[in-house]
Amino acid sequence: MDSDTVLLVTLWVAVGVFVGGVVTPLIAERKRVNEWLAMLAGVVLGGVGGVILLAPLRLLLRLRPDRQVTGPTWQRDAITLEEALAAVSGGGPAAGALAALRANFWPRARADGHSHRLTYLGVFVALAAITLIEVLLTVVDVPFAVTGPLVGLSTGKVMLVVLYFMHLRYDSRWYAAVFASALPFAILASVILALS
Amino acid sequence: MSTVQLATPETAHDVEQLAAEERALSRNGHEQEEIHLPPPSIAPLIVGVGGTLTVIGLIAPLLLVVGLPLTLFGLLRMAHFPEIELHGRFLAHLDPRKLGMWAFLASEIMFFGALIGTFIAFKIDHPEAFKAAHEVLSLPLATLGTTVLIVSSFAVVMGLEAIQSDDRRVFFNWMGLTLLFGATFLGTQAFEWYELMHEGIKAGNIFGTAFFVTTGFHGLHVLIGVGWLGLLMLRAARGVYSSSNNLGIELFGLYWHFVDVVWIVLFTVIYLIA
């Protein structure tokens, strides 16, 4: 598996874990079950369910014909969007619309073959999912304090944007050092202000 | 004076000095190469004067009439500048413009850190005022704003990816989406402020002060970002950017993602945590 696939699978399972951890306590609320136990069960269920639900995708990937791979595997998308969509829609009128969409919004692979397109798509989906979970946590009456999870989820979102969209993960560590050097001061200022 | 001497090395001493400089250059991994400087321009001066007038115009609004058009005119002139490659000698594998951008963003962390810290401090001191205001705030509207900003961030990376493969049509589509969503975010924020003013949350309230200063400065950053993107698209339409020259897009992207990051934090602190 290349890095894009690993990332997508991890995100997929993580989303399952999140959803399981949030929804199960809600269901168990009226059943007189310890909510922490329910959450733990939900997390396990979500993780395992995520892996099980991956099986159809694996089958789909197996069914598609082998492609001619000319470059190193890490330089290629695991499966191009075109192939994924063709496998799902199987041609027909939808294919035309998809082709138009692809021509207008899916960037060509770079000349050096190195491309982050699917990574970006995965990060975007993760950001949207986390936002949804955050809003659900706020709107739905959950049986635990939400401040901690909300701060954790937001930190995750910030890390995703900074690491992937701002390329810090791929860029020189010096940029990260310059950027992060401001963090202690910002935290110090916040703490002093909050305590005063 | 020394440049004249270096340009016409007459003495043996000067020749030696030149050779030493060349050695120093090649030690840093740089060959002696031609330097392309853009022709001198008066546009930065115009922006400087116009910007100063605009800032003073915040106190004396009559100056805005002169300052704003002057700034805009200067910026549009600057949109015609060519992009130049800068070669740093210190940490030669780093790009000076990118490093400068990250340093600027670091200063922005401190700026917004202070604003958010103040917001939290006010919240701790006046929990009842913030609780009452939290009832009035519209979570759906804020969620819409958040979604729009996240989509626009995604649009910027896809646009950058497109220009890196010379895919100009896809590039313009995504960048146009970014412009549209940036403007949409400003629209939702303007609507929200209008509604809050009618609900009696004004800049004089303890919540109003914290809220309007924090979201206002963020909105100002979005507004500047939208203007910057407009200039970028003008430049791109003139064919400035390509797979071999796209640092301008990347720098804008860094700024835009940072504005997105700030909003992610603000959304949590202001709207989600009661």
Side-chain angles (χ1 to χ4, degrees):
Chain A
M1 282 202 289
D2 61 327
S3 59
D4 280 343
T5 320
V6 172
L7 179 80
L8 287 178
V9 168
T10 314
L11 285 175
W12 174 261
V13 177
V15 168
V17 167
F18 272 128
V19 173
V22 171
V23 173
T24 320
L26 293 180
I27 299 172
E29 196 180 7
R30 301 192 194 113
K31 303 244 168 94
R32 294 184 169 277
V33 185
N34 184 319
E35 64 234 23
W36 290 105
L37 213 61
M39 196 172 81
L40 194 68
V43 165
V44 173
L45 204 69
V48 174
V51 175
I52 291 174
L53 285 179
L54 269 175
L57 188 68
R58 171 91 184 133
L59 274 179
L60 200 72
L61 289 176
R62 267 198 180 169
L63 286 180
R64 87 196 152 94
D66 283 343
R67 282 184 298 154
Q68 284 288 324
V69 178
T70 47
T73 46
W74 57 268
Q75 285 190 335
R76 302 183 61 90
D77 292 336
I79 173 175
T80 65
L81 190 70
E82 187 187 31
E83 287 166 340
L85 292 178
V88 173
S89 66
L98 288 176
L101 203 64
R102 182 181 175 279
N104 281 296
F105 287 103
W106 193 244
R108 285 198 302 255
R110 276 191 240 159
D112 60 359
H114 192 73
S115 182
H116 295 305
R117 295 168 298 177
L118 274 183
T119 316
Y120 291 149
L121 194 62
V123 170
F124 170 65
V125 170
L127 287 175
I130 296 179
T131 307
L132 183 70
I133 293 169
E134 280 182 339
V135 173
L136 279 180
L137 275 179
T138 311
V139 176
V140 181
D141 275 329
V142 283
F144 49 87
V146 290
T147 308
L150 282 179
V151 171
L153 287 174
S154 301
T155 312
K157 269 163 81 178
V158 168
M159 291 308 284
L160 279 178
V161 171
V162 172
L163 286 181
Y164 290 96
F165 282 1
M166 295 167 94
H167 314 120
L168 262 195
R169 199 173 158 230
Y170 312 107
D171 252 344
S172 164
R173 297 259 183 267
W174 283 96
Y175 299 127
V178 168
F179 187 55
S181 65
L183 273 178
F185 296 102
I187 292 171
L188 194 69
S190 298
V191 169
I192 290 174
L193 281 167
L195 291 181
S196 61
Chain B
M1 233 157 63
S2 63
T3 9
V4 177
Q5 281 178 355
L6 286 178
T8 55
E10 285 163 4
T11 62
H13 173 260
D14 283 339
V15 173
E16 252 176 46
Q17 200 177 334
L18 262 180
E21 272 194 14
E22 256 182 42
R23 276 200 302 276
L25 269 176
S26 53
R27 251 208 310 281
N28 283 332
H30 283 291
E31 298 297 315
Q32 275 277 25
E33 54 184 302
E34 284 183 56
I35 300 171
H36 303 281
L37 285 178
S41 164
I42 200 170
L45 196 65
I46 297 178
V47 174
V49 173
T52 312
L53 288 179
T54 308
V55 172
I56 303 176
L58 295 177
I59 309 168
L62 204 62
L63 286 180
L64 284 179
V65 181
V66 190
L68 276 181
L70 215 61
T71 313
L72 195 66
F73 173 71
L75 282 176
L76 285 174
R77 287 293 300 271
M78 283 173 82
H80 292 253
F81 281 14
E83 298 249 335
I84 32 168
E85 291 275 318
L86 297 172
H87 297 294
R89 296 190 187 177
F90 171 66
L91 293 174
H93 61 289
L94 296 182
D95 186 281
R97 291 166 72 194
K98 214 175 182 181
L99 197 62
M101 192 65 202
W102 278 110
F104 167 68
L105 292 183
S107 77
E108 292 276 77
I109 287 191
M110 299 194 211
F111 177 72
F112 278 106
L115 284 184
I116 294 168
T118 312
F119 188 93
I120 295 173
F122 279 10
K123 197 172 185 171
I124 293 172
D125 279 352
H126 306 269
E128 66 294 323
F130 276 71
K131 191 128 190 118
H134 196 260
E135 308 286 314
V136 182
L137 288 178
S138 164
L139 184 61
L141 200 63
T143 308
L144 176 69
T146 308
T147 313
V148 158
L149 267 194
I150 288 178
V151 173
S152 74
S153 246
F154 176 60
V156 170
V157 285
M158 291 307 264
L160 181 63
E161 195 72 26
I163 199 69
Q164 280 169 345
S165 57
D166 282 322
D167 209 340
R168 293 174 56 80
R169 179 171 51 172
V170 174
F171 167 76
F172 274 109
N173 284 340
W174 281 116
M175 285 304 177
L177 270 186
T178 310
L179 201 65
L180 188 71
F181 283 139
T184 310
F185 177 82
L186 288 174
T188 61
Q189 199 168 41
F191 179 71
E192 184 187 29
W193 279 32
Y194 179 80
E195 293 278 298
L196 285 181
M197 297 271 188
H198 277 257
E199 295 278 355
I201 292 180
K202 301 230 162 67
N205 305 354
I206 186 76
F207 176 78
T209 312
F211 178 81
F212 287 124
V213 167
T214 321
T215 57
F217 267 113
H218 177 265
L220 183 66
H221 278 76
V222 177
L223 185 66
I224 291 171
V226 168
W228 185 354
L229 180 56
L231 282 178
L232 273 190
M233 288 181 74
L234 271 182
R235 289 168 68 77
R238 292 163 50 87
V240 171
Y241 301 111
S242 66
S243 60
S244 57
N245 177 12
N246 48 49
L247 190 66
I249 309 286
E250 195 177 342
L251 293 184
F252 165 75
L254 289 179
Y255 175 82
W256 191 258
H257 299 314
F258 180 78
V259 170
D260 187 19
V261 161
V262 170
W263 183 253
I264 288 173
V265 177
L266 286 184
F267 180 62
T268 311
V269 171
I270 298 179
Y271 296 93
L272 294 180
I273 299 175

